[in-house]
């Protein structure tokens, strides 16, 4: 039995232009040279030896044009995917275009936390692998939500799946599954589990315990935190309360706080109101 190499050597005698190939010559773009068809633009061959005979192939400029088309198609697909992820993220229109690049660093403390959060997004593959999150707390209006929104947009632009929400929206979504919804509570919790980066804004606004009795939300918060803790999936929190205050004043269970503390970098933001500063700089159209 002949080997592939022997077959190729045997058929090299057919490395000539066949009448069928000659019939495809386009004088406006091609010419004959050294027994081959060449491109008039880049002067590289448009034929090559196939398995048994000479066949058409791409010249240099055709190959470059095809690669450019593929790159453009990939770019459009990436943009569409990012926009799809952005719509699914629940990040409101107010924060759609905020970014690290467009943010005014109004004091040194804000700038330091801002830099750490920006670095977090730059090393997103590492933090995603390790399940590291952020617990950003401090006075109301200091820019915690703005920084979190910058993070969410940066991660979305890298093609990561993001869900930006709060406990009130989560509780409404869970309760909605009780009303004969096609989506079950398990389905919804699985969604929260699969999201790469979960953002929970204004953590602590809703009480999870009252009069030393756990409310319905306490169980759900622990389930979300514990599931992502076990799966090494990050959560980024913003809150007006330190974790200790969440336990003492807002009724958060110690076991939930412990898991957050183990997986999240704790960052405190105090000082001048970023919200008031932004309001003072607003330019109205009237």
């Amino acid at each position: 039995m002949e080997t592939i190499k022997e077959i190729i050597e045997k058929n090299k005698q057919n490395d000539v232009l066949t009448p069928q190939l000659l019939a495809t010559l386009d004088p406006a773009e091609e010419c004959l040279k050294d027994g081959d068809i060449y491109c008039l633009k880049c002067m590289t061959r448009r034929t090559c030896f196939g398995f048994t005979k000479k066949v058409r192939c791409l010249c240099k400029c055709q190959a470059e044009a095809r690669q450019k088309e593929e790159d453009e198609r990939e770019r459009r697909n990436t943009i569409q995917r990012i926009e799809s992820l952005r719509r699914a993220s629940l990040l409101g229109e107010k924060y759609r275009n905020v970014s690290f690049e467009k943010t005014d660093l109004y004091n040194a403390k804000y700038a330091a936390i801002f830099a750490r959060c920006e670095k977090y997004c730059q090393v997103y593959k590492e933090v995603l692998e390790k399940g590291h999150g952020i617990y950003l707390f401090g006075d109301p209006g200091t820019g915690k939500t703005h920084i979190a929104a910058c993070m969410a947009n940066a991660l979305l632009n890298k093609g990561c799946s993001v869900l930006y929400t709060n406990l009130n929206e989560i509780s409404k979504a869970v309760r909605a599954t009780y009303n004969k919804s096609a989506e079950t509570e398990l389905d919804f919790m699985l969604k929260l589990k699969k999201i790469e980066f979960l953002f929970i804004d204004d953590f602590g606004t809703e009480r999870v315990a009252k009069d030393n009795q756990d409310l319905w939300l306490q169980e759900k918060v622990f389930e979300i935190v514990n599931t992502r803790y076990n799966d090494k999936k990050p959560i980024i929190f913003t809150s007006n309360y330190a974790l200790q205050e969440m336990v003492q004043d807002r009724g958060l269970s110690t076991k939930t706080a412990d898991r957050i503390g183990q997986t999240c970098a704790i960052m405190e933001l105090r000082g001048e109101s970023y919200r008031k500063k932004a309001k003072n700089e607003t330019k109205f159209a009237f």
Side-chain angles (χ1 to χ4, degrees):
M1 181 180 293
E2 290 181 304
T3 65
I4 293 177
K5 182 178 180 180
E6 289 171 337
I7 294 174
I8 292 175
E9 291 296 328
K10 180 179 178 180
N11 286 285
K12 275 189 175 179
Q13 58 184 327
N14 295 323
D15 189 15
V16 294
L17 292 176
T18 63
Q20 290 81 3
L21 270 181
L22 282 171
T24 65
L25 178 70
D26 181 358
E29 293 186 2
E30 301 168 331
C31 66
L32 289 174
K33 178 184 174 183
D34 301 328
D36 276 304
I37 297 175
Y38 276 73
C39 171
L40 286 174
K41 182 178 179 181
C42 65
M43 290 308 295
T44 58
R45 293 184 358 164
R46 287 189 173 180
T47 59
C48 58
F49 181 65
F51 189 63
T52 60
K53 62 182 179 180
K54 185 162 285 190
V55 294
R56 278 280 187 176
C57 62
L58 299 179
C59 66
K60 181 181 178 181
C61 63
Q62 285 178 324
E64 289 174 348
R66 175 172 292 185
Q67 185 61 53
K68 187 175 180 180
E69 289 176 1
E70 291 177 357
D71 291 344
E72 176 61 20
R73 184 163 51 249
E74 180 63 26
R75 187 187 70 83
R76 289 197 301 267
N77 289 340
T78 298
I79 291 174
Q80 290 174 358
R81 181 171 183 269
I82 289 173
E83 283 305 306
S84 177
L85 288 170
R86 197 179 304 281
R87 288 192 297 271
S89 73
L90 303 184
L91 190 65
E93 191 63 29
K94 178 180 178 180
Y95 296 106
R96 176 182 176 85
N97 295 315
V98 301
S99 68
F100 289 114
E101 294 76 18
K102 299 177 184 177
T103 299
D104 177 26
L105 305 181
Y106 69 98
N107 65 37
K109 180 66 175 177
Y110 187 83
I113 290 178
F114 180 94
R116 287 191 70 188
C117 292
E118 185 175 25
K119 178 66 177 297
Y120 178 97
C121 297
Q122 292 170 352
V123 297
Y124 72 99
K125 290 182 180 179
E126 182 178 347
V127 298
L128 185 59
E129 179 183 352
K130 295 179 178 179
H132 291 168
I134 290 175
Y135 188 88
L136 178 58
F137 76 98
D139 300 325
T142 48
K144 301 182 298 294
T145 295
H146 182 91
I147 289 180
C150 288
M151 293 178 65
N153 279 323
L155 293 168
L156 284 167
N157 288 337
K158 294 179 184 299
C160 301
S161 60
V162 167
L163 179 62
Y164 195 101
T165 187
N166 54 54
L167 288 187
N168 182 50
E169 292 300 321
I170 289 175
S171 64
K172 286 195 297 186
V174 172
R175 292 181 189 278
T177 66
Y178 301 158
N179 301 323
K180 298 181 180 180
S181 169
E183 182 181 57
T184 67
E185 181 179 349
L186 178 59
D187 292 333
F188 177 75
M189 297 305 284
L190 283 174
K191 281 185 181 180
L192 294 185
K193 176 181 178 180
K194 291 179 180 179
I195 290 291
E196 289 176 312
F197 291 92
L198 175 62
F199 285 75
I200 299 182
D201 194 30
D202 281 334
F203 189 52
T205 301
E206 297 82 12
R207 285 185 175 274
V208 292
K210 185 177 181 180
D211 300 328
N212 295 321
Q213 295 294 318
D214 286 347
L215 300 177
W216 170 86
L217 194 55
Q218 180 83 269
E219 176 190 344
K220 299 306 167 191
V221 172
F222 177 74
E223 184 178 350
I224 293 167
V225 171
N226 189 57
T227 297
R228 293 185 68 83
Y229 171 86
N230 290 331
D231 288 349
K232 297 172 67 176
K233 290 287 186 67
I235 306 179
I236 295 90
F237 297 89
T238 69
S239 178
N240 294 336
Y241 306 93
L243 273 176
Q244 186 177 2
E245 293 174 316
M246 285 293 298
V247 174
Q248 294 176 348
D249 303 333
R250 309 305 293 172
L252 185 69
S253 70
T254 302
K255 62 182 180 180
T256 302
D258 285 345
R259 280 162 174 73
I260 294 173
Q262 289 175 39
T263 58
C264 290
I266 309 299
M267 303 183 191
E268 182 179 7
L269 185 57
R270 302 287 185 187
E272 179 186 356
S273 173
Y274 181 89
R275 193 177 298 154
K276 181 185 290 187
K277 183 179 185 298
K279 182 178 180 180
N280 290 339
E281 293 179 350
T282 299
K283 291 181 173 59
F284 297 99
F286 54 88

